[in-house]
Amino acid sequence: MKTLSKKGKRNNRSLSEMFYWEIISYGYLTVGAVIQGIGMALFLFPNSIPSGGAAGIAILMNHFLHMTIGVCLWFANLMSLTLALKYFGYQWTLRTIFSVSVTSFTVNWVTAFWYIPEWNIIMDLICGSLFYGAGVGILIRYGSSSGGMVVFALVLAMYKKMSPGKAMFWMNISIFILTAIIIDFKIVIYAVICQFSSTKIIDFVNTYKIRFSLFQDVAWRRK
């Protein structure tokens, strides 16, 4: 009886610890998604600069369908969920859906209630790349993604043994070119600069060694 009691206590403690770390995990994902959404809504989207492939598709949908940019962003990410489910499992996919939803809500909320006077385009690029890269880096580090082309990029990185940032950069180029042709060709230049800068930040955040990391074993790679 004592043995069973001790085992039951260990199981209960294990379950409570798992629940606690899951809550903490979603807290980090919320922070990452909000940071990403702020960067997109305040600095990138006002200049029609796509932060990535899904954002480029969202800008095109907004251009043709006149839907709110946040709703367009959420729908643009739906196409990647089947692939995410196949390669990364239910938990990772649910985290990605959560992250995409928080980002889309943030973009809608910031667009409706926040306003920053127009800066120099270079300043917008710097701030947008910093916020976007930091947000996506946090999402990838703690077992999620920002959806869209990131899912395809992570699959490519997994098989080709590339860094997530580098895979994202090349996957998004085609979307940038399409957006530039339809809306404004100079967008592709801004988008490439943004993508180059943000992917460096993504790789830095994803690989930076945190001394007291709460999730030493959480990674974007499939187990």
Side-chain angles (χ1 to χ4, degrees), residues 4-63:
L4 290 174
S5 178
K6 289 180 180 179
K7 188 180 293 185
K9 288 181 179 179
R10 283 198 297 268
N11 289 336
N12 289 335
R13 184 164 49 194
S14 177
L15 288 173
S16 63
E17 287 176 354
M18 288 176 59
F19 179 75
Y20 173 76
W21 296 127
E22 194 70 11
I23 294 297
I24 296 297
S25 165
Y26 274 88
Y28 275 107
L29 296 182
T30 301
V31 171
V34 169
I35 291 173
Q36 176 192 235
I38 290 173
M40 295 163 78
L42 286 185
F43 305 109
L44 300 179
F45 286 169
N47 297 290
S48 295
I49 300 173
S51 54
I57 294 171
I59 289 174
L60 291 174
M61 290 176 66
N62 173 259
H63 179 76

Side-chain angles (χ1 to χ4, degrees), residues 41-201:
L42 286 185
F43 305 109
L44 300 179
F45 286 169
N47 297 290
S48 295
I49 300 173
S51 54
I57 294 171
I59 289 174
L60 291 174
M61 290 176 66
N62 173 259
H63 179 76
F64 287 112
L65 303 177
H66 305 291
M67 299 167 61
T68 63
I69 195 71
V71 173
C72 292
L73 184 64
W74 201 93
F75 276 108
N77 281 286
L78 285 178
M79 64 183 72
S80 66
L81 294 181
T82 302
L83 187 69
L85 193 61
K86 177 180 179 181
Y87 283 94
F88 300 106
Y90 286 97
Q91 185 180 33
W92 194 89
T93 303
L94 286 174
R95 291 185 177 201
T96 297
I97 292 173
F98 173 81
S99 301
V100 168
S101 298
V102 173
T103 298
S104 299
F105 173 81
T106 302
V107 169
N108 268 341
W109 188 80
V110 170
T111 302
F113 296 105
W114 288 20
Y115 173 74
I116 290 182
E118 287 190 18
W119 290 7
N120 181 282
I121 185 65
I122 301 301
M123 292 300 298
D124 280 339
L125 276 174
I126 292 173
C127 293
S129 300
L130 179 62
F131 275 78
Y132 176 76
V136 175
I138 292 171
L139 296 181
I140 293 176
R141 186 181 184 100
Y142 293 105
S144 180
S145 82
S146 58
M149 297 297 108
V150 177
V151 176
F152 296 95
L154 292 180
V155 173
L156 179 64
M158 183 171 61
Y159 281 105
K160 297 296 183 180
K161 296 181 179 180
M162 302 167 62
S163 70
K166 184 181 291 185
M168 281 177 60
F169 178 83
W170 294 109
M171 288 288 292
N172 288 327
I173 289 298
S174 60
I175 304 296
F176 295 159
I177 292 174
L178 179 62
T179 307
I181 291 172
I182 294 174
I183 299 179
D184 189 342
F185 194 79
K186 67 182 178 182
I187 288 175
V188 74
I189 299 174
Y190 298 146
V192 169
I193 294 173
C194 173
Q195 192 67 192
F196 178 81
S197 304
S198 62
T199 50
K200 294 295 183 182
I201 297 169

